[in-house]
C-alpha cells in the first residue's frame, strides 16, 4: 500500500451522493480496464466504445495511456516500479470517475497481474470491468503504428512488453476480445451488452 505522506488532512464527504449523480445521468459509474500488448487495439476499441455510448446519450470518457503520460504521469518511465505507480494513479482517478457516475475506459498495457488486481481492489469489484484485448503478437507487430516493435527487435528499445519484458495475461477478465478477428465496432457492441447485463446502462427500449 502506498504511504500517505501528507499530514493534517481529512476526508470530506460531499453533499451529493453517488446515487443522485447516477440518477441524473441515468447510468451507473464503471471503470472499463482495457489491457493488452502495444498495438493490440485497446485505444481504438476504447474510443469507439466512448463514441457509441455518447451517441446513446451516456456520459463516457477515455483515459488513454499515452495521453495520461503527457500530463498526470509525465514523470514516470517504464520500469516495473514506474509501471506500478502509473497503474496506481490511474486506478485512483478511475475510482473518482466511477463515483461521479461516468462510464470510464482506460487503455493501458498494464502488463502485470498484481498491478491490475490492485486496481480492481482500489476501484471495487462492482465497478471494475477488465477487457483483455488479445490478438496475436504477429498482428500487433504487423500494425505497429509507432514503429515500436521494429525498434525493440533491433535492440533500440529495452524492456518492451511482449519482446524482452513479460506480459502477464489475465486469468479472469470479464471479456476477451481478439481484435485481429473482430472489428472495433463489434467489440464495442459486445462491451455495451456486458454493461447492460451488469446494470450499468439501461437496455435500449426499456
Amino acid at each position: 500500500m502506498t504511504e500517505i505522506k501528507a499530514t493534517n488532512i481529512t476526508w470530506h464527504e460531499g453533499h451529493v451522493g453517488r446515487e443522485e449523480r447516477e440518477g441524473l445521468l441515468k447510468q451507473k459509474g464503471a471503470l472499463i480496464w482495457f489491457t493488452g500488448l502495444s498495438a493490440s487495439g485497446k485505444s481504438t476499441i476504447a474510443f469507439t466504445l466512448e463514441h457509441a455510448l455518447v451517441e446513446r446519450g451516456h456520459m463516457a470518457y477515455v483515459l488513454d495511456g499515452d495521453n495520461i503520460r503527457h500530463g498526470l504521469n509525465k514523470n514516470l518511465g517504464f520500469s516495473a516500479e514506474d509501471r506500478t505507480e502509473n497503474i496506481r494513479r490511474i486506478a485512483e482517478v478511475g475510482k473518482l470517475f466511477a463515483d461521479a457516475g461516468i462510464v470510464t475506459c482506460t487503455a493501458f498495457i498494464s502488463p502485470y497481474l498484481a498491478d491490475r488486481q490492485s486496481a480492481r481492489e482500489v476501484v471495487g469489484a462492482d465497478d471494475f470491468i477488465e477487457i483483455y484485448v488479445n490478438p496475436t503478437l504477429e498482428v500487433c507487430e504487423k500494425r505497429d503504428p509507432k514503429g515500436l516493435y521494429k525498434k525493440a527487435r533491433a535492440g533500440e528499445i529495452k524492456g518492451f512488453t511482449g519482446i524482452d519484458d513479460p506480459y502477464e495475461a489475465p486469468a479472469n477478465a470479464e471479456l476477451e476480445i481478439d481484435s485481429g478477428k473482430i472489428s472495433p465496432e463489434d467489440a464495442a457492441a459486445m462491451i455495451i451488452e456486458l454493461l447492460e447485463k451488469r446494470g450499468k446502462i439501461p437496455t435500449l427500449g426499456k
Side-chain angles (χ1 to χ4, degrees), residues 61-135:
Y61 192 81
V62 175
L63 297 169
D64 178 68
D66 280 0
N67 293 354
I68 292 296
R69 283 183 176 275
H70 275 88
L72 177 66
N73 291 348
K74 65 182 178 181
N75 64 323
L76 298 177
F78 291 93
S79 67
E81 293 78 11
D82 279 4
R83 286 179 185 271
T84 293
E85 176 60 14
N86 187 51
I87 297 311
R88 187 196 70 80
R89 292 183 193 179
I90 294 309
E92 293 288 356
V93 171
K95 180 180 180 180
L96 295 176
F97 271 62
D99 186 59
I102 300 170
V103 177
T104 309
C105 306
T106 69
F108 293 81
I109 293 172
S110 49
Y112 306 131
L113 281 166
D115 292 344
R116 296 196 303 271
Q117 180 58 33
S118 293
R120 184 183 291 271
E121 291 170 2
V122 166
V123 176
D126 288 343
D127 292 338
F128 191 93
I129 300 172
E130 187 176 34
I131 309 293
Y132 179 25
V133 185
N134 185 29

Side-chain angles (χ1 to χ4, degrees), residues 129-144:
I129 300 172
E130 187 176 34
I131 309 293
Y132 179 25
V133 185
N134 185 29
T136 64
L137 177 61
E138 290 73 20
V139 167
C140 295
E141 290 201 64
K142 185 176 180 180
R143 291 171 176 165
D144 201 15

